[in-house]
Amino acid sequence: MNMWKNRIIYILCICASIYYAVLYDKYVSLVIMWCMITIPPFSCLCLIFLQRRTKAKLTTTEQMVKMGEDFILTVLTENRSIFPLAYGVMKIKYKNQLDEEYQNADAICRVDAKGQEKIQIEFHCNHCGLIQIACEYLKVYDFFRLLSVKIPIHGEQEVMVIPEFEIMEDLLENLWDNSENINQSTLEKGEDTSEVIGIREYHPGDHPKSIHWKLSSKRKQILIKEFGKEEEDADIVNFGLICEEECSYEWYDEKLEELVNICWTLLQAGRIHKVIWYHPQMGIYENTKIQNIEDLGELAKQVIRAGVGRLDKEDIA
């Protein structure tokens, strides 16, 4: 809209300069008229030169963030021409995997001649999911904003938004109570039904009962005993993201938070467990073993990338 406004003003200026040149047959009036006439061709040549000598690339520093946090999207713009990029507008589109259509956002860009500029755009993650981001083009305007050209921006980015890991206090207390009852009923003095299969360094969430105190004292670092359990003894968590027709962000966030909080609580209780979850895109059930926080983060990424299964009314009937 502003560009059309500038064009109208320019046409009025052209008319005024021609009228002035005709009315006053002087050298100055002719110079002013020809300067006004040559503005569009000069601007056009500058824009063509800028278009050929300017590149833009989309990057992001974060591949996975927690819900409620901000992340920075960076567009690296390089201007190798002798003309400065006085004014440009980047057209950015983005969507959550639950959305069918992209949303649009604009960012202002200015780059000096023979220079580079990092344009940083801040995004806020209100909901979980896979955020797909792409820049359509960089629209560059001339000095007078009468003309414009489009410069393609290379690269697309995906950002994974996962829930915050929180402990479910009631579940944790029950797990510890059950673990103590089982130990008292199945263990005799000096015996252990599980075999120690290895020693490793301490990770956040490891149960204090797994600490190898003697070896930790010798090496002056906390070491954890790894026990070999039978597969039948492992806790199993069943999970699936299947909703009727359209699912809301609130429903999606609640389901993912429930999954990661249960798994995180089991890890805090020192319980290695399995998650059997439905993969909507492939139509199969996946079996994922969770032994540490890295496994839990990878599970969250896989579940989010798999998407949501749709249950039509005909299937319910």
Side-chain angles (χ1 to χ4, degrees):
M1 189 67 186
N2 290 333
M3 192 165 64
W4 283 107
K5 179 181 177 180
N6 293 340
R7 288 175 178 176
I8 292 172
I9 294 174
Y10 171 73
I11 291 172
L12 293 176
C13 291
I14 282 283
C15 295
S17 64
I18 293 174
Y19 176 78
Y20 182 73
V22 173
L23 186 63
Y24 301 99
D25 188 12
K26 294 183 178 180
Y27 178 76
V28 175
S29 62
L30 291 175
V31 170
I32 293 174
M33 182 187 70
W34 282 110
C35 286
M36 295 297 298
I37 292 174
T38 55
I39 283 176
F42 175 76
S43 297
C44 184
L45 290 174
C46 291
L47 284 178
I48 293 174
F49 198 70
L50 272 172
Q51 187 180 32
R52 294 181 177 180
R53 304 287 292 178
T54 303
K55 293 183 179 180
K57 185 178 180 180
L58 175 67
T59 61
T60 181
T61 56
E62 302 288 345
Q63 298 298 326
M64 186 170 66
V65 297
K66 292 183 179 179
M67 185 175 63
E69 292 182 352
D70 297 332
F71 68 93
I72 302 298
L73 182 73
T74 303
V75 179
L76 179 60
T77 307
E78 181 182 8
N79 179 13
R80 296 178 295 170
S81 71
I82 59 174
F83 301 107
L85 197 162
Y87 186 81
V89 178
M90 288 182 292
K91 296 293 181 179
I92 303 166
K93 61 179 185 178
Y94 63 95
K95 73 170 183 176
N96 192 299
Q97 65 179 1
L98 297 181
D99 297 329
E100 294 183 357
E101 296 182 356
Y102 281 92
Q103 300 182 40
N104 297 317
D106 294 343
I108 306 300
C109 173
R110 293 181 176 87
V111 187
D112 295 332
K114 299 287 185 179
Q116 292 183 347
E117 187 71 25
K118 285 186 178 180
I119 295 91
Q120 294 186 331
I121 307 149
E122 188 175 274
F123 281 84
H124 185 73
C125 307
N126 293 317
H127 300 284
C128 297
L130 182 64
I131 310 298
Q132 300 171 342
I133 307 171
C135 286
E136 296 184 273
Y137 54 82
L138 170 61
K139 195 171 186 179
V140 179
Y141 295 83
D142 66 330
F143 298 104
F144 307 98
R145 299 191 193 178
L146 300 174
L147 305 171
S148 64
V149 294
K150 294 179 180 180
I151 298 173
I153 299 179
H154 302 286
E156 295 184 358
Q157 296 292 326
E158 291 183 344
V159 177
M160 198 79 62
V161 184
I162 65 174
E164 181 77 33
F165 295 169
E166 295 181 355
I167 297 176
M168 303 174 72
E169 297 293 345
D170 294 339
L171 176 59
L172 184 61
E173 290 180 4
N174 292 334
L175 288 171
W176 280 351
D177 291 341
N178 292 338
S179 177
E180 290 177 359
N181 293 334
I182 291 173
N183 288 337
Q184 291 175 1
S185 61
T186 59
L187 296 181
E188 298 180 2
K189 186 176 180 180
E191 289 185 333
D192 194 343
T193 57
S194 56
E195 179 185 358
V196 178
I197 60 173
I199 303 293
R200 61 171 174 83
E201 294 182 359
Y202 173 82
H203 296 300
D206 288 333
H207 198 281
K209 293 182 178 181
S210 301
I211 298 176
H212 196 305
W213 294 105
K214 290 184 179 180
L215 196 57
S216 299
S217 176
K218 289 181 180 179
R219 297 191 181 181
K220 296 183 179 181
Q221 61 176 341
I222 301 178
L223 299 174
I224 299 297
K225 293 181 287 185
E226 288 189 316
F227 298 99
K229 293 184 179 180
E230 297 293 332
E231 292 294 326
E232 292 79 6
D233 297 335
D235 296 296
I236 296 177
V237 180
N238 294 311
F239 179 77
L241 279 175
I242 302 176
C243 68
E244 300 177 14
E245 297 180 350
E246 294 185 0
C247 60
S248 64
Y249 281 120
E250 290 74 17
W251 175 87
Y252 187 75
D253 295 342
E254 182 181 350
K255 288 291 185 180
L256 285 176
E257 285 176 347
E258 183 181 5
L259 171 64
V260 300
N261 290 344
I262 290 174
C263 294
W264 181 238
T265 305
L266 288 170
L267 286 177
Q268 292 292 337
R271 305 282 283 267
I272 296 174
H273 55 282
K274 289 182 178 180
V275 177
I276 299 175
W277 57 281
Y278 180 69
H279 197 300
Q281 295 179 356
M282 302 177 64
I284 61 174
Y285 285 91
E286 297 280 359
N287 189 332
T288 304
K289 190 174 183 180
I290 308 299
Q291 302 182 83
N292 48 50
I293 189 173
E294 288 79 12
D295 293 340
L296 179 54
E298 187 62 29
L299 171 66
K301 289 167 59 177
Q302 291 177 3
V303 170
I304 290 174
R305 193 174 292 278
V308 179
R310 308 290 179 177
L311 192 63
D312 297 330
K313 292 183 178 179
E314 291 78 5
D315 298 329
I316 301 174

